[in-house]
Each structure stands twice: as C-alpha cells, then as structure tokens.
Amino acid sequence: MNKIKRHIRKISIIIIITLLCGLITSAEVKAADTKKYYCDSSVMGGLILISNQSELGGKGNYGFMDKKGKIVIPLKYDYAYGFVEGVSKVGKKGRYGFINKKDEIVVPLMYDDVADCFSEGLASVSKNGKYGFVDKQGKEVVPLKYDSAGNFKEGLAAVQLDGKWGFVNIRGDEAVSLRYDEKTEFYKGLAAVQLDGKWGLVNNQGKEVVEVKYDGVGISIEGLIGVYKDDKYGFVNNQGQEVVPLNYDNVRFFSEGLAAVEKAGKWGFVNKLGKEVIALKYDNVCFFSEGLAIVIQNGKNVCIDKKGKTVLKLKYDSIGVEYQNGLLYVSKGYKFGFINKQGKKVIPIKYDVTEDSTKFIEGLMLVRWNGKSGFINRKGKMIIPLKYDVTWYFNEGLALVGKEIDKELKFGFINKKGKVVIPLKYGALYKVGRY
C-alpha cells in the first residue's frame, strides 16, 4: 500500500486499492523482461520514452519504444524529452541537442541547454549564457546573442537582451523592437507587452495597436480583448477601440457573442456592442457553451439561454462550467455523471468524483468506481472494464494502465478497444505534468 501511495503522489492519479484485485490476463504480463524498465505516461510523436531508472532527470539512461513495445532507440542518453515535430531533445554528459526517430543526430549535442521541443520548425539553444535558434538541420538561424528566448508562435519568438524584451522572426530579424519589460506569446496576431508598469498589445509588425496604458490586458477572443485600468474592466477591439466601457468590477472572455460582466457583486452578460442583454442579477455565472450558460441565483444553480430565460433547474452539489457535445458534468456527494440539455441523466451518477473525470479525451472518459478504473464513451457505455488500479488519459490512441502484480505496481498500455498492446511489466516515469 505504501508503494502505491508513492505512485499517487508522483503521477497525480487517484488510486483506491481494494482488497480484491481484478483478474490479470496472460497478455498483460506476457514477455516479462529480466531488466527493469520504466515508461512515460503518454505517447509523444508515436514513441514512448523509457528509462532504466524511476526518476526523470535522475542518473540513468533513456531511450524510446514504439506503440508495440519494441525498443527502437536504445537506452543510451542521459536525458530525453519526447518527440515533437519529429525530433526529441536528448542529452549526454551535460550537453544537449536533438535526434530524429531514426536515432540520427540532427542538432549536435553541443549546447548547454536547448528547448524541450521544436516549435514551428525552430528551437532555442543556449551556450555560455547566450540564446539563439536552430532549425532541424542544426543550422543556427538566429545568432546566439540574447540573454533569454521563448518559443516561436505565429512566426515570432520573444527574445531578451539587457533586460528588455522584443520579438524576432524566423529569419532572425527583430520584428518587434526590444524595449519592453514583460511580454506574452503571440495569439491571433497580437502579443501583450508591458512598459513602465502599463500593458498594451502589439501586432506582428511591431505596431502598438492597443495603447500601452492599461493595468492589465487579456487575449483576443472573438475579436475582443478584456482590459482593466484603475480597477475597472471593459473590452477593446483589435484596433484598440473601447467597445465595452471600462465601468465594470470584473469581466470574463467572450463566448458565443456574449461576455459575463460584474458590477456591485452581481453578474450578467453584454454583447459585442457593449449592450447589457442579460441583466446583472446573478451571484455568479459561467460562459455560454452550446447556447446555454450555468448561473447561480439566490444560491441555486440554473441553466439559462441567451435571452436570460431559465431552461433548466439544476439540483446538484457540483456542476461543470460548460456543455460538452450536449452533455453537462454533475455530481452528488462523491459521485458524478452527465445530463443532457433536457436534464435527463445520460451517464448515471455513480462514478467516484476525481480531478481526472471531467472531460472526454479522444472520445473516452476515465472513470473510477470501487477502487478500479476504466473508460466510458459519451453514451455512458463501458468500453474498457473497471479492472485497473491506475489509468491515465488516452493519447495518440493508447492509455497507460497499471495493476498490482506480485505486490508491485506494473504498467503497460491499452488501445481504445481495451486490448493490451504493451504488456504490464514496466515501472512508471513521473513526468505527467506537461500532458
């Protein structure tokens, strides 16, 4: 039991072990290896990171296996990350570079550090405290002259020199001058920048389209951006024009043409012209999804349409913030299920409430009941039986699963039909956070 608790802390998967263990098939323990290997929790770029030690970054060797469990890149690196854009960061003796899936070195292992992965065909690299960018042929396309560097997003990457931030393009040209104190990545053609404690937005030509005068700015969603100044909130468009006046105490992003706004402790909704189309009378609200929004009024949860009409009363202890393909998460006590837009229970409220069981990923949801885990589809049908002690989400068609075998937790992978495609014979590498 203590061993399982250690696994709980390290991979953030809630496990409830009962005295009765599920049946273990021969396929799940087939081809046991005399060597002890540990596998990552997810597939990245068609391959799975493996190691001969249990702590990522610890002393050991790293390699990769394919979706059938065959080792395709030997365990010979001191560090490895995972395949993104066809390459993986690897390290040896404190030097880092990138390899392809044939285990060919595409970026020499000569740098003090490199980005975890390529983004838009380029990756930041550093040597002697200076940063630049390389392509997948190992060519330094942006000279190593900056003090810090981010990832490329929408053709631009943030770089810092002498305490000031700007952006370079894929040719290394400084498209946004290095004059700002802080920045965000580009999103839909805009990036937030800060100068002397004030925020604004620049476009990819370096033009300040939203004046640097606000105490805070958000991102462009549905063409409008939340801003605040002197503790008052509103919205500007992508040209910097204030379309929703800054006279609210709080705002939330636009969704389906409406945004939640709050004044004097009451919430309502405005449209893109700044008109209050749903009165500010609610204690709290969620954003609109699939034409409906969850709101709280007088301590009760109800579902309203875009005219503010109550269409459904929700008598549950906890409710999801949005509909997912016509389904809404609800719970009572420590059990959860899903209802449709008419309030009918599509998935019975019987599964154990966990932080994992809130969304369908690759069409399936991880569920737990009586200490065992499995997967259901959107109709509530049990696709993969509740028989595992540990499960993780599906990724690239496979999911990590684990069972206690001979008093030791063993891991492998299953496909969406529940077939064990990589036997349960591995330990687990604890690198779940970035998935």
Side-chain angles (χ1 to χ4, degrees), residues 116-402:
D116 285 337
C117 55
F118 270 77
S119 178
E120 300 184 0
L122 298 176
S124 64
V125 296
S126 69
K127 185 187 290 187
N128 300 324
K130 292 298 181 180
Y131 290 77
F133 290 86
V134 297
D135 62 20
K136 291 179 184 176
Q137 286 71 50
K139 180 182 177 181
E140 294 179 359
V141 295
V142 178
L144 278 70
K145 65 178 184 178
Y146 297 102
D147 298 329
S148 188
N151 295 321
F152 269 88
K153 187 80 177 289
E154 299 185 5
L156 296 173
V159 291
Q160 185 190 49
L161 186 63
D162 297 329
K164 294 295 182 179
W165 287 94
F167 292 84
V168 295
N169 60 25
I170 59 175
R171 296 181 298 277
D173 303 323
E174 293 179 0
V176 179
S177 60
L178 279 69
R179 58 186 293 259
Y180 298 103
D181 301 323
E182 294 290 346
K183 86 298 176 243
T184 66
E185 290 184 332
F186 269 84
Y187 179 76
K188 294 187 177 179
L190 299 174
V193 291
Q194 185 202 59
L195 184 63
D196 298 329
K198 298 296 181 180
W199 288 87
L201 293 167
V202 296
N203 64 16
N204 52 19
Q205 281 81 48
K207 180 182 178 181
E208 292 180 0
V209 294
V210 175
E211 187 179 351
V212 182
K213 66 176 184 180
Y214 295 100
D215 297 327
V217 297
I219 60 176
S220 178
I221 297 180
E222 296 190 3
L224 294 177
I225 304 144
V227 296
Y228 75 92
K229 186 178 181 181
D230 300 328
D231 293 326
K232 291 297 179 182
Y233 294 73
F235 288 89
V236 299
N237 61 22
N238 290 347
Q239 291 75 48
Q241 300 167 324
E242 294 183 2
V243 294
V244 177
L246 277 72
N247 58 13
Y248 294 100
D249 298 330
N250 204 351
V251 298
R252 292 175 182 154
F253 59 84
F254 271 86
S255 177
E256 298 186 0
L258 299 179
V261 295
E262 183 255 341
K263 187 184 291 185
K266 293 297 180 180
W267 288 86
F269 291 86
V270 296
N271 63 18
K272 292 184 177 181
L273 299 176
K275 181 181 178 181
E276 293 178 2
V277 293
I278 297 178
L280 280 69
K281 62 180 181 179
Y282 300 104
D283 302 324
N284 208 343
V285 298
C286 297
F287 54 87
F288 271 90
S289 65
E290 300 182 20
L292 300 174
I294 311 302
V295 301
I296 301 175
Q297 188 175 28
N298 299 324
K300 296 180 179 180
N301 295 301
V302 297
C303 191
I304 62 171
D305 62 19
K306 291 186 177 180
K307 294 182 179 179
K309 179 183 177 182
T310 298
V311 296
L312 190 63
K313 294 181 179 179
L314 303 164
K315 298 180 180 180
Y316 298 97
D317 297 336
S318 179
I319 300 167
V321 297
E322 63 178 322
Y323 275 90
Q324 304 176 53
N325 298 107
L327 298 180
L328 179 67
Y329 172 95
V330 294
S331 71
K332 279 189 174 183
Y334 295 99
K335 301 295 180 180
F336 84 93
F338 281 80
I339 61 172
N340 63 18
K341 291 183 178 180
Q342 291 73 45
K344 182 181 177 181
K345 295 173 185 175
V346 178
I347 297 176
I349 302 173
K350 69 176 186 178
Y351 298 109
D352 300 334
V353 171
T354 73
E355 60 185 82
D356 305 324
S357 302
T358 57
K359 286 188 176 182
F360 288 91
I361 298 177
E362 295 193 6
L364 297 176
M365 175 173 284
L366 187 164
V367 293
R368 296 187 174 90
W369 190 51
N370 288 343
K372 296 297 179 182
S373 301
F375 291 86
I376 59 174
N377 64 15
R378 295 184 186 278
K379 294 182 179 180
K381 182 180 178 181
M382 186 64 64
I383 303 300
I384 297 169
L386 296 155
K387 66 176 184 176
Y388 294 105
D389 297 323
V390 179
T391 50
W392 195 240
Y393 307 109
F394 271 92
N395 186 63
E396 297 187 25
L398 299 184
L400 177 79
V401 295

Side-chain angles (χ1 to χ4, degrees), residues 8-57:
I8 294 174
R9 289 195 297 267
K10 293 181 177 178
I11 66 174
S12 301
I13 301 175
I14 298 175
I15 311 167
I16 303 173
I17 302 296
T18 60
L19 293 175
L20 297 175
C21 295
L23 294 176
I24 302 168
T25 68
S26 58
E28 290 169 345
V29 295
K30 183 181 177 182
D33 202 315
T34 56
K35 294 182 179 179
K36 179 72 172 181
Y37 290 129
Y38 300 83
C39 66
D40 200 356
S41 60
S42 294
V43 184
M44 291 187 71
L47 298 180
I48 301 165
L49 179 65
I50 58 173
S51 177
N52 58 9
Q53 59 83 47
S54 62
E55 297 288 343
L56 181 69

